Amino acid sequence: MGAVRPDNPLFRYRDVVDDWPAFETAVASPLPATIWAHPARITREALRSLLAEAGIDARPVAWQPSALRLPAGLRPGAHWGQAAGLYHAQEEASMVPVTLLDPQPGHRVLDLCAAPGNKTAQAALALGNRGTVVANDVAKGRLAAIRHLIKRLGLMNVSVTCRPAQDYSPHAGGFDRVIADVPCSCEGTVRKSSQPSAQALCETRERLVARQTAILDKAVRLCRPGGRIVYSTCTFAPEENEQVVDALLRRYPDELRLLPVSLPGLYLAPGLTGWRGRTFLPELAQAVRLWPHHNNTGGFFIALLERVGGECREGARAAERPTDGHWLEGIVQRYAIPGSALAGLRLVHRGRKYAQLIAADHEPPARPERVFFGLPTVGVQMKPPKLTTAGVMALGAYARRNVVELDESQAQAYTRRQVVTLQPGQGIGLGESGSVVVRRRGYGLGLGVVSPAAEDGSRHLASLYPRSWAAEVP
Ligand SMILES: C[S@@+](CC[C@H](N)C(=O)[O-])C[C@H]1O[C@@H](n2cnc3c(N)ncnc32)[C@H](O)[C@@H]1O
């Protein structure tokens, strides 16, 4: 008897898996952690070297030029580079949908079920951190994870909304790329978490399928003719996968087509064309499945669709009223940040505490109302206004004055919020005292305050690293 017994919910796939013993072995083994390098902050090779210095042998992922696979058992957060936003951890199979969707600078992108924001982040950076990504999720409590990701990765082109995707305003349309990474029974995450019982799955499947179908229908209607939609789940269930796509292809025979896809270096198994007596359209074989034993990943289903006809209502766009730039001007002067670092961005003040940097060409729909948007960059209630930690992480690498570069042990003390003693002469263009950009290996970490120099030239650096972030840094 193999590892997947008849009472296991995965046993129902025995007849559609090509190599059942290999599948059983794969689902019983731990999932390797994968990360991708922040494209505006570090190359994959530089990241690999940085990790190697810490004794971490990360291996390039063949099909994804920015991704690395970490050694077995290593947590992605074990290196400080994660907290500094140099890389992001995302399961390898989960990177595939947006890679296939291929958003390009200039595209307007909608992510209908976005939390915790992995695919939003991929899309936002693929757009060069400019233009428009709208990240939506129905679960208000999960939006904090998107907010945190925006800050850590310095995303300046994202607006976040909180609506049931199936009820999204029909006037919000006009997207070139739509991500429908729908809620599902999550069977493909079996290597990360324990499985729900077969009974629990049966109870929710019907409801899930109805919601998934409604969300994909909305995705189609919000996509511009000529635009593309990616439908994905992390489950094996054909009811939630091929069956949903089949229903939409039949509903929109003249408006929708399924595109063939491939990724050199990654084996993508074909979608199913039938399941338990039900026959799907033959083109469903062009949808793809990631079975865990093929590429040593989690399980995923992905269908790339093109909207070839029909209509799409485009409503009003939210107008960003630029704020008086004086807050940023003071900061730019203090740290001698070159204008090129702010090209294509504008500062907007809508909250009480912070002003946000947002792409000047950001054009989210006027409806639904946004919960938040842009990168909180300047704390406007402080006197004088100060860069936020996220602001330093995004802009600190460009600063040429009032900068302190810390060595490894100083940086550790700084992120633990301890006072750091600076060597005489340590620091770049330091003024008498006051706030400074703190860097490690040239990457912005956060803000600090330096004391006036003592007689021997040494100074103290007080850490302003946020208490809530400190726990994340090893
Ligand atoms: C598979 S997760 C999305 C993962 C995300 N795309 C990522 O890559 O980080 C599905 C998400 O759908 C959200 N969700 C569930 N029902 C929804 C609905 N009706 N409308 C919008 N979002 C929904 C859940 O809160 C959950 O965050």
Side-chain angles (χ1 to χ4, degrees):
M1 183 67 70
V4 178
R5 294 167 191 280
D7 62 345
N8 185 314
L10 302 183
F11 195 78
R12 69 202 290 259
Y13 306 118
R14 202 184 156 96
D15 295 337
V16 293
V17 172
D18 57 352
D19 184 345
W20 185 249
F23 175 80
E24 285 186 303
T25 305
V27 295
S29 64
L31 187 64
T34 44
I35 59 175
W36 46 259
H38 189 308
R41 295 185 179 167
I42 193 165
T43 63
R44 173 164 78 174
E45 270 324 297
L47 176 59
R48 203 176 165 206
S49 306
L50 196 65
L51 295 172
E53 283 177 35
I56 300 169
D57 181 18
R59 299 291 170 90
V61 171
W63 64 273
Q64 202 346 316
S66 67
L68 293 167
R69 192 177 275 204
L70 297 180
L74 191 85
R75 277 186 317 109
H79 189 273
W80 62 270
Q82 172 163 285
L86 303 187
Y87 64 85
H88 179 63
Q90 185 176 6
E91 208 272 292
E92 186 176 334
S94 160
M95 297 179 197
V96 176
V98 173
T99 306
L100 292 176
L101 187 64
D102 192 25
Q104 296 286 328
H107 284 156
R108 256 182 122 223
V109 180
L110 172 63
D111 187 354
L112 279 169
C113 306
N118 294 300
K119 297 179 186 69
T120 293
Q122 278 184 287
L125 293 171
L127 264 54
N129 216 352
R130 298 291 184 272
T132 308
V133 177
V134 179
N136 175 72
D137 201 280
V138 75
K140 206 168 178 191
R142 287 171 62 84
L143 300 185
I146 305 183
R147 195 193 290 262
H148 187 58
L149 203 56
I150 286 175
K151 290 187 197 167
R152 197 159 50 72
L153 299 177
L155 306 181
M156 303 176 187
N157 56 354
V158 180
S159 280
V160 177
T161 61
C162 185
R163 297 285 308 146
Q166 63 275 29
D167 299 339
Y168 216 76
S169 166
H171 301 286
F175 291 94
D176 304 287
R177 297 286 184 268
V178 183
I179 305 166
D181 185 40
V182 296
C184 69
S185 53
C186 299
E187 294 166 347
T189 63
V190 56
R191 300 176 70 182
K192 283 199 284 196
S193 56
S194 61
Q195 276 299 287
S197 70
Q199 171 144 13
L201 283 176
C202 288
E203 278 168 4
T204 57
R205 184 96 71 207
E206 230 170 80
R207 265 192 335 175
L208 267 178
V209 171
R211 202 181 331 152
Q212 290 159 339
T213 309
I215 293 174
L216 182 55
D217 189 306
K218 181 61 74 165
V220 172
R221 283 183 286 142
L222 293 175
C223 182
R224 273 186 191 137
R228 290 180 178 189
I229 303 137
V230 72
Y231 176 83
S232 54
T233 73
C234 58
T235 201
F236 303 116
E239 298 89 335
E240 301 177 50
N241 293 330
E242 287 87 349
Q243 187 181 311
V244 171
V245 177
D246 181 81
L248 268 292
L249 287 169
R250 291 179 197 270
R251 193 174 294 174
Y252 297 108
D254 302 324
E255 295 184 28
L256 207 54
R257 79 182 171 109
L258 189 58
L259 297 174
V261 295
S262 67
L263 283 173
L266 188 73
Y267 178 68
L268 299 171
L272 306 181
T273 50
W275 172 250
R276 295 194 163 173
R278 198 188 273 257
T279 305
F280 304 133
L281 292 167
E283 55 262 45
L284 260 304
Q286 293 181 344
V288 294
R289 286 178 159 260
L290 280 110
W291 294 103
H293 58 294
H294 286 150
N295 306 283
N296 193 15
T297 63
F300 244 79
F301 169 86
I302 303 148
L304 184 65
L305 297 153
E306 186 174 28
R307 179 126 197 232
V308 288
E311 284 179 1
C312 169
R313 282 195 252 171
E314 298 201 21
R317 309 266 169 106
E320 260 16 305
R321 261 174 294 118
T323 308
D324 177 355
H326 68 276
W327 287 316
L328 207 46
E329 275 164 26
I331 286 168
V332 162
Q333 272 178 21
R334 174 158 186 90
Y335 303 112
I337 295 170
S340 56
L342 297 163
L345 297 171
R346 73 174 43 147
L347 194 71
V348 177
H349 180 215
R350 275 239 322 223
R352 267 187 310 154
K353 284 189 176 169
Y354 303 108
Q356 292 95 313
L357 271 181
I358 186 85
D361 58 352
H362 187 66
E363 287 199 313
R367 290 258 169 278
E369 183 89 27
R370 291 174 290 169
V371 183
F372 55 90
F373 64 92
L375 181 74
T377 307
V378 184
V380 297
Q381 285 182 331
M382 309 202 189
K383 290 197 174 44
K386 286 203 169 40
L387 271 178
T388 59
T389 303
V392 174
M393 286 164 65
L395 301 174
Y398 302 98
R400 294 178 300 209
R401 196 159 55 218
N402 287 308
V403 175
V404 174
E405 282 279 350
L406 299 182
D407 66 25
E408 305 293 293
S409 65
Q410 288 175 324
Q412 274 186 357
Y414 167 81
T415 50
R416 289 179 189 145
R417 298 173 51 81
Q418 295 162 359
V419 173
V420 177
T421 304
L422 303 179
Q423 301 303 316
Q426 188 177 358
I428 303 165
L430 293 190
E432 177 118 329
S433 61
S435 41
V436 288
V437 158
V438 178
R439 293 199 299 227
R440 180 174 188 170
R441 306 289 292 258
Y443 302 110
L445 281 188
L447 217 55
V449 178
V450 289
S451 65
E455 264 181 27
D456 66 356
S458 69
R459 289 171 182 256
H460 292 303
L461 170 73
S463 172
L464 295 182
Y465 199 67
R467 211 177 290 278
S468 56
W469 293 40
E472 282 185 30
V473 192

